[in-house]
Amino acid sequence: MSDSSPLPPVRLRSEAELARDALAAPLLSRAARLARWAGPDTRVGGGGELVEEQLPAAAEVLGLTGEDAAALASEAWRVAVDTGLVEIVDEEEGTVTRGADLALLTSGSPNDVLAVWLGALETVLADASVPDLDDLVDAMDEGGEIDLSSLDWDPEAEADFLDGVLANLYLLTVSEEGPGDGPVPLPALAASMIVPDDMGDPTNDVLEQVSDAMMRLDDQFRILEPIGLVDFEPVDEALMADPEEDPAAAVDETDVSRYGMVRLTPLGLYGMRARLLEAGMAAPAVGELADKGADALLDGTSVFPPAAAQAEIEQWLARREPLTAARELLDAARGSDAGAPLRRLRCQQALSLVGPEAEPALREVLDDAELGGLARVWLAERGVADVPAPPESMIFWLTIDTVAAQLAAEGNSAELQGLVEGLAAQHSGFFATVWRVDHPATPDVLEAMGRLHPDKKLAKEARKAAFKARSQQGN
């Protein structure tokens, strides 16, 4: 997982809330209880695992019963050792003591708690990539050694697959068009890793691969849920029954929830973002820009989806006086670089959230060629009196700037096509005038209008105007 293109920003809970979630995660809670239970008589094997004869006592401490009690206790002990809640004193003697990090869970900062939880998450993710016990037993030779070649198991490929699935789940969760807090069907998540984007109807072979991946993920998410990474509804076991052998097992196969549903918890979002950042990916979080300058805010939110951009801007404004904020935003919105139109669009979005106290800042830029147009829009929307009418050159400059910003933000969208049609219809001789506008984006905007306008005659006029504008600018 390494990519320079930013993911949509995630909205995270506060560290204090996340730390409480981490402490409440069943597996970390069990690991901490075992670490407090460990004493001079506790013994471990060569790999740090709790010796078999002490597993019943460990299970009893955790209140675990049933056939899985020993395995669950062993898992919790392994997390305790891997996260430093327990330290091995003497490997030969197998003695242990409470680890220094155990105190962090009660007296450390929320960040300290989350660091311990992230360590536990790595342990569990490694466990989730290992074949299940039955497969390991089948692969054991007469000497008790495991023949990995007989498992058809590639540890690196298995870990990469799970990383990819979790990254896709994260992307679906943070995308504005995704399910948000809602769960994702397991078949859809498996298909996202198996089915090529350009494939029409999947072949039987591909569908079989998706089914195999879905069942593998069912096992893996069962392992990941106790650490608090996901909320998981497993595959309905009735789906695996043979209806001919067990007619009572017939189920509604159109009910997608019976094939498993999963969602990242708020803590899981935090954990996945931390892993993505560690892997070199740009994974912003809403609120990161709140203490930075207006230039960082406008540049940063230029790649955010609209709702996330507004949330980020609201947090930024909450820390500043309206008049000061407006002046900072207007100053940061200036520029003739390629990103400037989108900065000004985000500036307009930010200023729309500022109260009437900002009026002096907007009046100060009425004569500014780059900002005078948007300042007049702001003042007019609030019914402010004595606002001078803009010169025609400013109107056309703002038009080009607005279309350039929309192109950068949305590409050739239906909304932009509607804007283009409206502009050409409202202004007689629009293309005969607009090519003269002294704006760096004029040629590109006119070329886009030529592509987008459905009227062939007007589209041709736009392309001619684009040629004139490019010639005028010497490009």
Side-chain angles (χ1 to χ4, degrees):
M1 295 182 298
S2 182
D3 195 347
S4 59
S5 57
L7 292 165
V10 61
R11 303 189 194 198
L12 296 175
R13 290 183 178 177
S14 70
E15 285 196 345
E17 292 176 296
L18 293 169
R20 285 194 291 271
D21 290 345
L23 291 172
L27 185 50
L28 184 59
S29 175
R30 291 172 189 161
R33 287 162 67 187
L34 286 184
R36 296 185 184 100
W37 163 77
D41 295 330
T42 307
R43 291 294 180 271
V44 296
E49 74 281 1
L50 201 59
V51 295
E52 188 171 350
E53 54 266 29
Q54 292 194 335
L55 285 174
E60 183 178 356
V61 167
L62 298 177
L64 299 172
T65 58
E67 59 182 16
D68 294 332
L72 292 172
S74 178
E75 178 187 33
W77 179 263
R78 187 167 59 256
V79 168
V81 172
D82 287 353
T83 55
L85 303 182
V86 170
E87 293 179 0
I88 297 174
V89 176
D90 189 319
E91 291 185 6
E92 291 187 4
E93 294 292 329
T95 54
V96 299
T97 187
R98 293 180 181 180
D101 286 350
L102 180 61
L104 296 177
L105 298 183
T106 53
S107 59
S109 67
N111 187 261
D112 292 331
V113 172
L114 290 170
V116 174
W117 179 82
L118 286 171
L121 175 61
E122 291 304 316
T123 294
V124 178
L125 285 168
D127 288 348
S129 299
V130 174
D132 64 31
L133 184 60
D134 290 339
D135 289 339
L136 291 175
V137 170
D138 290 343
M140 192 173 292
D141 60 24
E142 295 180 359
E145 296 293 324
I146 296 175
D147 180 10
L148 293 179
S149 63
S150 68
L151 286 173
D152 189 25
W153 174 59
D154 181 339
E156 186 175 347
E158 194 68 27
D160 287 346
F161 178 82
L162 183 55
D163 279 348
V165 166
L166 291 172
N168 281 357
L169 183 57
Y170 179 90
L171 180 59
L172 285 169
T173 306
V174 300
S175 298
E176 291 196 354
E177 63 274 14
D181 293 335
V184 177
L186 214 56
L189 201 54
S192 73
M193 296 295 294
I194 304 294
V195 182
D197 292 336
D198 57 354
M199 176 175 279
D201 293 330
T203 63
N204 288 336
D205 180 59
V206 168
L207 289 175
E208 185 175 347
Q209 292 180 50
V210 170
S211 179
D212 290 344
M214 186 184 78
M215 298 313 300
R216 190 160 81 233
L217 290 174
D218 181 66
D219 291 335
Q220 291 173 323
F221 284 129
R222 289 172 192 260
I223 295 171
L224 295 173
E225 187 174 33
I227 197 59
L229 184 74
V230 296
D231 286 330
F232 181 53
E233 182 180 338
V235 175
D236 188 342
E237 293 185 3
L239 291 170
M240 270 70 81
D242 187 342
E244 294 183 2
E245 296 180 4
D246 184 7
V251 297
D252 179 8
E253 295 187 2
T254 63
D255 182 1
V256 70
S257 67
R258 306 195 75 155
Y259 292 84
M261 304 287 284
V262 64
R263 75 175 186 95
L264 287 171
T265 64
L267 182 62
L269 279 171
Y270 168 84
M272 277 307 303
R273 177 175 180 263
R275 299 189 81 241
L276 291 167
L277 290 172
E278 182 69 22
M281 295 192 73
V286 172
E288 283 187 314
L289 304 175
D291 59 352
K292 300 192 183 326
D295 52 346
L297 176 73
L298 298 183
D299 282 333
T301 56
S302 66
V303 296
F304 283 16
Q310 177 154 336
E312 186 71 57
I313 289 167
E314 287 173 348
Q315 292 197 31
W316 189 89
L317 290 172
R319 301 192 181 192
R320 291 160 178 81
E321 293 297 325
L323 181 57
T324 301
R327 285 178 173 142
E328 288 183 22
L329 288 165
L330 289 165
D331 188 54
R334 290 187 171 90
S336 58
D337 57 286
L342 190 49
R343 284 203 306 275
R344 284 186 281 272
L345 183 66
R346 292 300 188 220
C347 177
Q348 283 184 283
Q349 182 181 359
L351 290 171
S352 71
L353 304 175
V354 178
E357 304 91 335
E359 181 181 335
L362 278 299
R363 285 191 175 277
E364 290 165 6
V365 298
L366 283 173
D367 294 330
D368 188 293
E370 295 178 349
L371 305 176
L374 67 87
R376 283 172 170 80
V377 171
W378 189 92
L379 293 166
E381 287 175 345
R382 284 155 182 76
V384 176
D386 304 324
V387 180
E392 185 180 71
S393 60
M394 184 175 286
I395 295 173
F396 279 102
W397 194 96
L398 181 60
T399 299
I400 291 293
D401 202 57
T402 301
V403 176
Q406 295 288 354
L407 274 170
E410 303 174 11
N412 299 335
S413 65
E415 291 79 3
L416 184 56
Q417 182 174 338
L419 175 61
V420 167
E421 291 181 47
L423 288 170
Q426 290 171 14
H427 300 277
S428 177
F430 177 81
F431 295 114
T433 303
V434 75
W435 67 267
R436 295 184 173 88
V437 172
D438 185 19
H439 190 298
T442 299
D444 292 336
V445 165
L446 289 172
E447 284 183 359
M449 294 180 84
R451 290 195 307 271
L452 292 169
H453 206 293
D455 186 294
K456 291 184 178 180
K457 181 181 177 182
L458 291 175
K460 186 176 181 181
E461 287 183 25
R463 290 192 293 272
K464 285 183 178 180
F467 178 79
K468 289 181 180 179
R470 204 168 293 284
S471 298
Q472 177 179 260
Q473 293 186 6
N475 296 329

